[in-house]
Amino acid sequence: MLNDITVGQYLPGKSAVHRIDPRVKILLVVFYIVAIFVTDVFWMYGVFAAYVLGAALIAKVPLRVLLRSIKPLLFIVVFTFIMNLLLVREGELLLQVWKIRIYSDGIIYAVRLALRLILLVFGTSMLTLTTSPLSLTDALERLLKPLSIIRFPAHELAMMMTIALRFIPTLLEEADKIMKAQKARGADFETGNIFQKAKALVPLLVPLFVNAFRRADELAMAMESRCYHGGKGRTRMRILTLSWVDAAAVAVNLGLLALLIIFG
Amino acid sequence: MSIEVKNMSHIYMPGTPFESAALVDVNLQLHEGEFVGLIGHTGSGKSTLVQHLNGLLKPTSGTLFVYDVELTKKDADMKFVRSRVGLVFQYPEHQLFEETVEADVAFGPKNMGLGGEELTACVKEAIQRVGLDYEAVRNRSPFELSGGQRRRVAIAGVIAMNPKFLILDEPTAGLDPQGRDELLELVQDLNKSGTGILMITHSMDDIARVADRILVIDKGRIVMDGTPGEVFSHVEELEAIGLDVPETSRLRMLLEKEGIELPSDIFTAEEAASYLCKLMGGGSHA
Amino acid sequence: MAEIVLSVEDVSYSYASMDEEDVKALKNVSFDVERGSFVAIIGHNGSGKSTLAKLLNGLFLPKEGRVLVLGMDTQDEDLTWQIRQNAGLVFQNPDNQLVTTIVEEDVAFGLENLGILPADIRVRVDEALEAVGMEAFAMAAPHMLSGGQKQRIAIAGILAMQPQILIFDESTAMLDPMGRREVLSAVRKLQQTKDLTVLWITHFMDEAAQADRVIVMDGGRIVMDDTPQQIFRRADELEQIALDVPMSVKIAREMQKNGVELDCVPIGMQALAEAVCRLK
């Protein structure tokens, strides 16, 4: 049943990590990403790994969920690792097998980049695992609001994301239904080469788009009749207020910043 | 026998925290040319059940024969089964996709391997059977037709596959009274020409009037199976599982309390009125 | 006579059509609605009733005539938001009118648009959810709810804006019988306890039978406007314009044809059974 799908990978909870203001959380993740790419001291990666794992522990995010988040990017991590290993021709020559030469710097670069990528995925995953998509959207809108001076459509983007999140489950359910209906008419979505398969999708995609446009039309009408007229003069029910959790999170990060400045 | 279901169960997402039994030990036989009504409230398992009958869903356990094909076997001929058992989903007009009505109706039979004049002929027949003017609509886009017409085109797309048994999931949902009556007539006509019908509906007055047999499903189990007269005499049981009963059945129950007996198989206003008049001594009320 | 909260004065409306001339959806429609009343508007598909709904809160503007909501003309652009806040519209498809992924955020949507203070929004959202009996679902995701529950959320979203008039544009057409009952009884309760005026557009006769007043539309015109009892006396006329009449009325009519006259037009089986017993 498609009823149970959730968008993103949010794990609801009430931990301190969950309760960090989403705006603060986004900024901290940005700081974290910059930091792991700035530092090239190896034990600092250990510090950052401990930081992320500590956060996961507090948020009660199971380690296996966190590890799983690397899976889609594993190929890129391995690929960049091998490329660095093979292509860097600096430092000491450690090993030569036929035409393949491995240098000491190659190992260092390869390991460093792999660590950075893994830490990057861990950090961003912690953000999406502990923050609901709606809070993220909301926080992004508020963070980007100052940019509206240069006509950056922060509110419009956030509204689009909200609506997308709302309708993805509905559309998936509908896709499932249309697919079944066409199967009942003998459609075959499984066999054939890639071109035949792509062509077989037409009876699914056309109704899906037609229905999506109809939905969009009706939704626009419903929003207008609920007095929606863009972001101007709009208030929000949810007030985001900073608390001691945010102060603590910022303090931890100031500590990391200090380490970063002292040791590079 | 057209369709035979033996001890069939279906469990959604087995082995996960979301595990739920949608069908429990269902036994069912559907016969050639029958008109069967399937009633049950939302979530009772009726949509899950009908999706098994043409192989869209596989049972978790039990067996299922459709025109002598054992659907539960791995090498079951799905094409054959789907040409024998047609399934019209709820709001079927939302599945139209072709540029013209003719092309859309042709989609099913084409998938069955039909072509050339044979295809044209069966598309034409299907469009005419749903009460549309073939010459007038064949080259029109389905999207510019009215809602009721679109639904007919979608049904034609299933009829064109010439099924021996036609399953319809709430075919009258969202239609106005006239559209509803016309569609019911269409289904009755199909049945008269020999097509077996299994119709899911919430409209008890209608189904009681047109069906030979009513199946009641609750929490994934078939809890009643009989003629409309038999099934709808259980007003209290049906209401207890959240189902409506035909208005005439309600009247029968109300009058029974006052000591007036009505037969249980009366479902039209004409029958009810003439019976009541007879009881009243026909016109001599003064 | 009670205060008039809504008046439609000689309104005509037409759609631009791709083929040839414009399609006239409404022709010289006039009626007034009194405060606190429950008015059903019935008609078959294409009779103009949905167009009418969208004219009542300024989503469409009349081509001729005018619509006054609490005395405010919908043509006046400065009053648009005030009109929509006072005349809330609930649509047919429960899926296509909820905007956000959390129920309570959705109920807050209208209030946020009106620029209400956050603390006040909170209070009004909670009250609205309670009024439709959905407070337990405040944090639920709309796609996990049943059709009837989604419509109650949509109603809460309108209710939170504290309107005086609620307009329902076939809001039960896509629901199962349980959902229909659930929504209709929630609306009836609101109408009676909160002094709201309700316009209930439908093609279900049994729903129209529960109203104080029924307006029947056909071909873009009002063809009848009376109490349900009086309307159902004209069962033959209703059937001519492709409308149904309740089974109880049909039976009474058939009995009359057979020469047995009941002493009333029975709306509902209870009424019919009682009338039959009185006859005996």
Side-chain angles (χ1 to χ4, degrees):
Chain A
M1 270 196 299
L2 283 160
N3 261 353
D4 308 301
I5 46 151
T6 45
V7 182
Q9 41 180 356
Y10 176 54
L11 294 177
K14 288 196 157 64
S15 75
V17 179
H18 283 90
R19 277 182 293 141
I20 298 174
D21 185 301
R23 294 167 300 179
V24 174
K25 227 189 279 188
I26 290 174
L27 292 177
L28 291 182
V29 169
V30 172
F31 162 72
Y32 165 88
I33 292 170
V34 172
I36 55 177
F37 279 89
V38 163
T39 187
D40 36 22
V41 182
F42 269 92
W43 62 264
M44 277 299 281
Y45 298 129
V47 172
F48 281 112
Y51 165 66
V52 171
L53 292 177
L57 203 68
I58 296 170
K60 297 201 176 79
V61 172
L63 195 59
R64 108 194 112 74
V65 174
L66 203 55
L67 288 175
R68 206 167 53 201
S69 64
I70 303 179
K71 221 168 146 191
L73 289 168
L74 201 59
F75 171 75
I76 294 174
V77 173
V78 173
F79 180 75
T80 52
F81 182 84
I82 293 172
M83 292 307 277
N84 270 288
L85 204 60
L86 299 181
L87 297 179
V88 175
R89 298 277 156 97
E90 284 163 43
E92 241 179 282
L93 179 63
L94 296 178
L95 186 72
Q96 182 165 14
V97 181
W98 185 48
K99 277 187 182 169
I100 297 167
R101 292 177 196 168
I102 290 176
Y103 291 85
S104 60
D105 281 11
I107 294 182
I108 293 171
Y109 287 159
V111 172
R112 183 186 292 148
L113 196 62
L115 283 175
R116 278 175 175 165
L117 285 175
I118 292 169
L119 285 173
L120 171 77
V121 175
F122 279 173
T124 47
S125 295
M126 276 306 292
L127 176 67
T128 52
L129 283 166
T130 62
T131 323
S132 75
L134 195 67
S135 303
L136 274 181
T137 314
D138 195 19
L140 271 177
E141 178 181 357
R142 291 176 206 231
L143 284 172
L144 295 174
K145 207 171 178 185
L147 293 181
S148 59
I149 298 171
I150 57 162
R151 299 191 170 214
F152 183 82
H155 167 73
E156 285 75 8
L157 278 178
M159 186 50 77
M160 273 161 59
M161 270 166 72
T162 305
I163 292 171
L165 288 168
R166 160 71 187 82
F167 278 92
I168 284 169
T170 309
L171 292 179
L172 281 176
E173 215 172 294
E174 183 159 275
D176 181 58
K177 205 187 113 187
I178 295 171
M179 200 149 159
K180 276 182 176 160
Q182 307 297 29
K183 270 191 192 168
R185 291 167 76 187
D188 182 358
F189 294 102
E190 278 110 26
T191 54
N193 62 35
I194 186 153
F195 293 107
Q196 286 163 327
K197 270 190 188 163
K199 203 170 160 242
L201 285 179
V202 172
L204 169 66
L205 294 179
V206 172
L208 203 55
F209 275 107
V210 170
N211 293 345
F213 281 118
R214 183 178 46 84
R215 282 183 195 285
D217 197 38
E218 289 183 28
L219 182 70
M221 195 86 90
M223 285 169 70
E224 253 191 72
S225 86
R226 287 168 77 184
C227 300
Y228 179 70
H229 50 281
K232 218 175 139 208
R234 199 172 135 79
T235 50
R236 302 305 305 272
M237 171 170 70
R238 253 199 302 182
I239 323 163
L240 294 179
T241 44
L242 301 178
S243 67
W244 66 268
V245 191
D246 303 298
V250 171
V252 171
N253 278 269
L254 284 177
L256 289 173
L257 181 64
L259 283 178
L260 204 63
I261 291 168
I262 298 168
F263 300 102
Chain B
M1 186 138 11
S2 311
I3 296 171
E4 186 171 19
V5 177
K6 281 183 190 161
N7 307 104
M8 187 171 81
S9 295
H10 188 96
I11 293 166
Y12 276 117
M13 311 186 81
T16 71
F18 301 110
E19 179 176 305
S20 64
L23 292 176
V24 185
D25 199 27
V26 172
N27 286 290
L28 176 65
Q29 295 176 346
L30 297 176
H31 307 277
E32 202 82 33
E34 252 187 326
F35 195 133
V36 184
L38 176 58
I39 62 176
H41 63 77
T42 309
S44 59
K46 53 192 197 305
S47 292
T48 306
L49 174 61
V50 298
Q51 287 179 27
H52 279 85
L53 303 185
N54 76 345
L56 285 174
L57 289 174
K58 295 262 178 247
T60 313
S61 64
T63 49
L64 177 61
F65 289 90
V66 174
Y67 288 90
D68 300 323
V69 174
E70 190 175 350
L71 261 188
T72 24
K73 276 196 178 149
K74 260 211 170 126
D75 57 347
D77 185 353
M78 280 304 164
K79 260 195 179 158
F80 174 78
V81 168
R82 286 183 188 149
S83 71
R84 281 299 145 98
V85 179
L87 177 51
V88 177
F89 276 79
Q90 217 180 353
Y91 298 103
E93 62 274 23
H94 291 169
Q95 294 130 28
L96 300 173
F97 69 99
E98 278 284 9
E99 281 172 51
T100 67
V101 168
E102 191 168 32
D104 208 292
V105 175
F107 180 69
K110 239 159 96 183
N111 285 328
M112 293 299 137
L114 237 56
E117 276 174 29
E118 213 183 348
L119 178 66
T120 321
C122 95
V123 169
K124 185 176 174 185
E125 198 200 325
I127 294 177
Q128 284 170 341
R129 287 198 80 169
V130 297
L132 292 173
D133 181 347
Y134 174 69
E135 292 301 331
V137 299
R138 58 182 287 198
N139 288 321
R140 290 185 68 184
S141 160
F143 300 106
E144 40 179 71
L145 301 176
S146 78
Q149 287 174 322
R150 276 207 299 273
R151 184 163 301 179
R152 283 157 181 274
V153 171
I155 294 174
V158 177
I159 295 177
M161 294 163 75
N162 208 6
K164 293 254 184 285
F165 220 100
L166 186 64
I167 303 173
L168 301 112
D169 190 348
E170 284 192 64
T172 58
L175 295 180
D176 63 12
Q178 190 180 18
R180 192 192 63 207
D181 288 345
E182 285 170 5
L183 198 80
L184 271 178
E185 254 170 60
L186 164 67
V187 176
Q188 276 181 292
D189 279 349
L190 284 169
N191 182 246
K192 274 183 198 133
S193 60
T195 313
I197 303 285
L198 178 64
M199 187 165 119
I200 296 182
T201 185
H202 286 301
S203 174
M204 303 303 172
D205 287 323
D206 293 335
I207 201 68
R209 200 156 46 76
V210 300
D212 307 320
R213 179 180 164 199
I214 303 281
L215 298 170
V216 184
I217 188 166
D218 183 45
K219 298 195 186 89
R221 292 170 195 273
I222 293 190
V223 292
M224 287 185 213
D225 180 352
T227 64
E230 287 161 9
V231 168
F232 289 123
S233 60
H234 301 276
V235 175
E236 269 140 4
E237 285 102 313
L238 289 168
E239 284 179 343
I241 57 174
L243 290 177
D244 281 340
V245 292
E247 289 285 335
T248 46
S249 302
R250 197 183 307 281
L251 177 67
R252 181 171 163 270
M253 196 185 68
L254 290 169
L255 288 177
E256 207 170 41
K257 285 180 192 155
E258 306 296 332
I260 302 175
E261 294 279 343
L262 271 185
S264 64
D265 58 350
I266 279 183
F267 297 113
T268 66
E270 290 79 8
E271 287 170 333
S274 74
Y275 201 88
L276 282 173
C277 288
K278 249 181 259 163
L279 278 182
M280 299 299 138
S284 57
H285 69 104
Chain C
M1 189 155 146
E3 180 198 349
I4 300 296
V5 288
L6 184 72
S7 69
V8 174
E9 297 174 358
D10 204 21
V11 165
S12 295
Y13 188 84
S14 51
Y15 289 103
S17 161
M18 276 186 275
D19 306 346
E20 50 243 52
E21 52 202 276
D22 291 357
V23 182
K24 278 230 162 197
L26 286 182
K27 297 166 197 160
N28 309 94
V29 170
S30 297
F31 64 94
D32 290 331
V33 176
E34 291 175 13
R35 179 179 293 281
S37 57
F38 191 114
V39 181
I41 300 177
I42 58 172
H44 60 82
N45 289 348
S47 60
K49 59 191 194 306
S50 274
T51 307
L52 180 60
K54 294 178 183 91
L55 279 156
L56 297 181
N57 77 344
L59 280 174
F60 292 174
L61 296 175
K63 300 272 149 92
E64 285 165 44
R66 57 180 195 161
V67 175
L68 299 178
V69 177
L70 300 168
M72 296 179 282
D73 191 331
T74 58
Q75 298 276 14
D76 189 341
E77 279 178 29
D78 296 335
L79 298 172
T80 301
W81 308 117
Q82 222 179 318
I83 287 170
R84 290 189 188 161
Q85 180 254 309
N86 276 297
L89 182 51
V90 179
F91 293 83
Q92 182 184 64
N93 191 325
D95 272 321
N96 299 350
Q97 49 187 323
L98 303 182
V99 187
T100 77
T101 49
I102 296 175
V103 163
E104 64 169 28
E105 295 268 340
D106 194 86
V107 176
F109 181 76
L111 298 175
E112 295 179 334
N113 293 332
L114 291 173
I116 309 289
L117 290 174
D120 295 338
I121 297 182
R122 184 75 259 172
V123 174
R124 282 161 69 166
V125 165
D126 291 344
E127 279 173 3
L129 279 170
E130 214 186 301
V132 297
M134 288 296 288
E135 63 274 25
F137 295 87
M139 298 306 289
H143 73 272
M144 304 293 276
L145 303 178
S146 75
Q149 289 173 329
K150 280 183 216 169
Q151 286 301 58
R152 275 150 71 196
I153 298 304
I155 295 170
I158 299 294
L159 209 58
M161 291 162 74
Q162 297 176 344
Q164 308 202 29
I165 305 163
L166 290 177
I167 305 157
F168 294 86
D169 185 7
E170 295 199 59
S171 304
T172 54
M174 297 184 72
L175 305 181
D176 62 14
M178 229 193 277
R180 280 174 57 194
R181 274 197 294 269
E182 173 185 324
V183 170
L184 188 59
S185 74
V187 172
R188 295 232 55 154
K189 198 183 118 204
L190 290 174
Q191 184 240 346
Q192 281 153 8
T193 57
K194 301 207 175 225
D195 193 30
L196 287 164
T197 308
V198 172
L199 267 84
W200 186 267
I201 297 170
T202 185
H203 57 236
F204 290 114
M205 270 303 159
D206 49 340
E207 293 178 357
Q210 298 188 35
D212 306 325
R213 170 181 166 199
V214 180
I215 294 175
V216 183
M217 299 203 54
D218 182 47
R221 293 179 197 280
I222 292 180
V223 291
M224 296 181 208
D225 181 351
D226 216 324
T227 61
Q229 278 78 9
Q230 292 304 319
I231 296 277
F232 291 129
R233 272 184 204 285
R234 300 158 73 179
D236 292 335
E237 285 171 67
L238 288 171
E239 284 177 349
Q240 265 169 24
I241 55 171
L243 288 170
D244 220 352
V245 289
M247 187 63 135
S248 54
V249 177
K250 273 191 206 164
I251 293 175
R253 186 182 53 177
E254 289 300 320
M255 289 176 74
Q256 192 186 21
K257 279 185 195 161
N258 289 351
V260 178
E261 193 96 27
L262 295 176
D263 58 2
C264 67
V265 179
I267 297 176
M269 282 303 163
Q270 188 71 44
L272 176 62
E274 282 164 14
V276 167
C277 290
R278 277 198 297 275
L279 210 61
K280 206 179 168 201

